Amino acid sequence: MAVAKKKNTWSTQFVSFEELQKTLKRLEEGIIEPFYVLYGEEIYFKEQLIHAIVERTILPENRLFNYTELITSLVDENEIFKAGNRNQLGNSEYTLLVVREADNIANWEPILPLFKTPKNKGVVVLEFQKLAPKTKKQDDNFKTMLSIVRTQGLLFESTPPRFDNQVVPIVEYIAANNGCKIERAATEHIIALLGNSLTAIDNEIRKIAATLPKGRGQITLETLQELKPNREYTPYQLTTAIVERDLNKALTILYYMAENRNTNSLIALNAALFSYFQKVLLWGVLQRNLQVGEVARILNIKEGRIKEFNNAIAQFPPKRCARIIANMRDFDMKLKGVGSAGNKPYEQMKQLLISIITS
């Protein structure tokens, strides 16, 4: 029985993807759990598991009779119980019940018998967004269900990857899953355009793979020429690129942030960078007399970002930070109409980034 465990999210090894691979391998080996509870924000991993469970338990010709998929907004708890308690029909080895949006189940009592006295060769899959009972009144029944699943089935947390390097092996997996390969430059390009949206990446690779020779095709940079950017960057990703002194990545992020004007403006972006470098400046000054932990507390910096700020101050000591802050203050005034940013404020922002990273 596989149970997803928390791991260091800074690692290039990403826990949800690792657990997905382990669970898929167990399914391929014919190890079928009676219960699967899938929860979390990342839709792609949950859909991969549901698809694999269906493929490994119910033959196509038996799915009409032995496979039921319910959405909680359209059925009540008694209907869920009846669907999970049905007998196998025909020559099917298993019955399978998939319950979507299980967050909306208000009364777990009628459903508990499916878990307390499971059917032989019956499989129940519950798909959640958040793993919590809808009402406090149902808390005990909900906890009982989870306790049974933890000991007799699989509890899978599906979290989205946070960092681009965690997405790389997933993109390669998606390509292989669609019968093709993808070169590393193309992988990096598709991540730059689509970010960590695994469903969007899967959709694009699926469309491209359909045009390639089965099992022999490769996705290249040229293949992706028509792919349009569809991701949202954050100031955090930009400051990370700046601290890494990765000019190309920083300029790419700036370009897409400037293009997405519904959620970003140069004024807000400049203010975010200004605030960041203020903290870097204070980090360097305060460290002269205080312990790192005390500095982090004063500046409200979480423990997981201490290494980042140590790297930042190594690249940008206080005097250099002060010059950067002065330049940002000047640019902010121009953006607000004091002086002039001209007709091309984006170009000035780009030059500001270049000067920060290369000077």
Side-chain angles (χ1 to χ4, degrees), residues 69-332:
E69 185 168 315
L70 301 176
I71 301 175
T72 55
S73 59
L74 302 177
V75 297
D76 62 24
E77 290 81 2
N78 290 320
E79 290 175 272
I80 294 172
F81 171 76
K82 289 177 184 176
N85 199 43
R86 69 192 302 180
N87 294 319
Q88 287 96 340
L89 297 175
N91 62 346
S92 181
E93 184 179 2
Y94 292 94
T95 60
L96 173 62
L97 169 65
V98 175
V99 181
R100 302 275 188 176
E101 302 173 7
D103 314 63
N104 295 324
I105 294 175
N107 184 5
W108 284 92
E109 189 174 357
I111 302 172
L112 271 184
L114 294 178
F115 299 89
K116 288 183 173 180
T117 55
K119 277 180 52 62
N120 182 39
K121 298 294 186 177
V123 179
V124 178
V125 180
L126 302 179
E127 181 267 322
F128 294 80
Q129 177 76 10
K130 294 182 179 178
L131 200 58
K134 189 172 183 180
T135 63
K136 285 198 172 183
K137 184 179 177 182
Q138 283 296 306
D139 194 50
D140 289 342
N141 290 327
F142 182 77
K143 286 180 178 177
T144 299
M145 180 275 293
L146 284 186
S147 178
I148 294 170
V149 173
R150 284 192 179 98
T151 56
Q152 299 178 34
L154 176 114
L155 190 65
F156 179 87
E157 182 177 10
S158 184
T159 58
R162 289 181 58 196
F163 308 108
D164 287 355
N165 60 0
Q166 293 175 336
V167 185
V168 170
I170 304 173
V171 174
E172 293 169 350
Y173 162 81
I174 291 172
N177 212 29
N178 284 281
C180 63
K181 295 181 180 180
I182 183 167
E183 64 181 23
R184 179 53 64 91
T187 295
E188 292 171 353
H189 186 63
I190 204 169
I191 293 170
L193 294 178
L194 302 178
N196 67 346
S197 177
L198 302 183
T199 301
I201 291 171
D202 180 57
N203 287 339
E204 290 301 332
I205 289 180
R206 191 185 302 274
K207 286 189 287 186
I208 295 167
T211 68
L212 300 174
K214 191 69 173 177
R216 294 184 293 110
Q218 184 176 38
I219 298 174
T220 65
L221 271 176
E222 289 72 23
T223 315
L224 301 174
Q225 281 182 349
E226 300 302 318
L227 186 59
K228 302 297 181 185
N230 182 26
R231 72 172 293 177
E232 291 185 8
Y233 284 99
T234 65
Y236 172 77
Q237 290 165 307
L238 181 55
T239 56
T240 299
I242 291 170
V243 171
E244 292 172 353
R245 307 292 288 274
D246 189 332
L247 180 60
N248 287 335
K249 185 175 181 181
L251 292 179
T252 299
I253 292 172
L254 173 63
Y255 171 76
Y256 290 128
M257 290 186 80
E259 284 290 298
N260 190 4
R261 296 183 183 181
N262 291 329
T263 56
N264 297 294
S265 73
L266 291 182
I267 292 176
L269 180 56
N270 189 58
L273 293 178
F274 183 90
S275 175
Y276 180 79
F277 277 99
Q278 272 190 324
K279 281 192 174 183
V280 175
L281 172 62
L282 290 170
W283 185 269
V285 171
L286 293 174
Q287 267 196 340
R288 295 169 182 171
N289 301 308
L290 298 173
Q291 296 293 323
V292 170
E294 182 65 10
V295 177
R297 186 190 66 79
I298 291 171
L299 298 179
N300 195 27
I301 292 170
K302 294 181 180 179
E303 185 179 349
R305 297 189 68 188
I306 287 177
K307 183 178 178 181
E308 172 200 338
F309 274 84
N310 282 335
N311 291 338
I313 199 60
Q315 299 293 331
F316 304 100
K319 285 186 179 180
R320 190 172 177 195
C321 276
R323 290 196 299 270
I324 291 170
I325 289 169
N327 290 337
M328 287 181 175
R329 184 181 287 114
D330 180 60
F331 182 54
D332 180 66

Side-chain angles (χ1 to χ4, degrees), residues 4-126:
K5 297 179 180 178
K6 298 279 186 183
K7 291 188 181 179
N8 184 355
T9 54
W10 285 87
S11 168
T12 55
Q13 296 300 310
F14 180 52
V15 62
S16 286
F17 184 49
E18 287 181 342
E19 293 301 327
L20 172 71
Q21 292 175 304
K22 290 177 186 176
T23 306
L24 291 177
K25 187 173 186 297
R26 288 172 63 82
L27 287 167
E28 288 171 5
E29 292 170 350
I31 302 171
I32 312 296
E33 311 291 351
F35 314 118
Y36 294 86
V37 168
L38 318 178
Y39 70 102
E41 297 176 29
E42 182 50 66
I43 297 171
Y44 177 77
F45 294 139
K46 292 188 289 186
E47 291 304 315
Q48 285 291 295
L49 278 181
I50 291 172
H51 175 76
I53 292 166
V54 173
E55 289 294 311
R56 292 293 169 178
T57 56
I58 311 293
L59 293 171
E61 59 268 26
N62 290 324
R63 287 175 192 169
L64 182 63
F65 309 104
N66 296 295
Y67 168 39
T68 306
E69 185 168 315
L70 301 176
I71 301 175
T72 55
S73 59
L74 302 177
V75 297
D76 62 24
E77 290 81 2
N78 290 320
E79 290 175 272
I80 294 172
F81 171 76
K82 289 177 184 176
N85 199 43
R86 69 192 302 180
N87 294 319
Q88 287 96 340
L89 297 175
N91 62 346
S92 181
E93 184 179 2
Y94 292 94
T95 60
L96 173 62
L97 169 65
V98 175
V99 181
R100 302 275 188 176
E101 302 173 7
D103 314 63
N104 295 324
I105 294 175
N107 184 5
W108 284 92
E109 189 174 357
I111 302 172
L112 271 184
L114 294 178
F115 299 89
K116 288 183 173 180
T117 55
K119 277 180 52 62
N120 182 39
K121 298 294 186 177
V123 179
V124 178
V125 180
L126 302 179

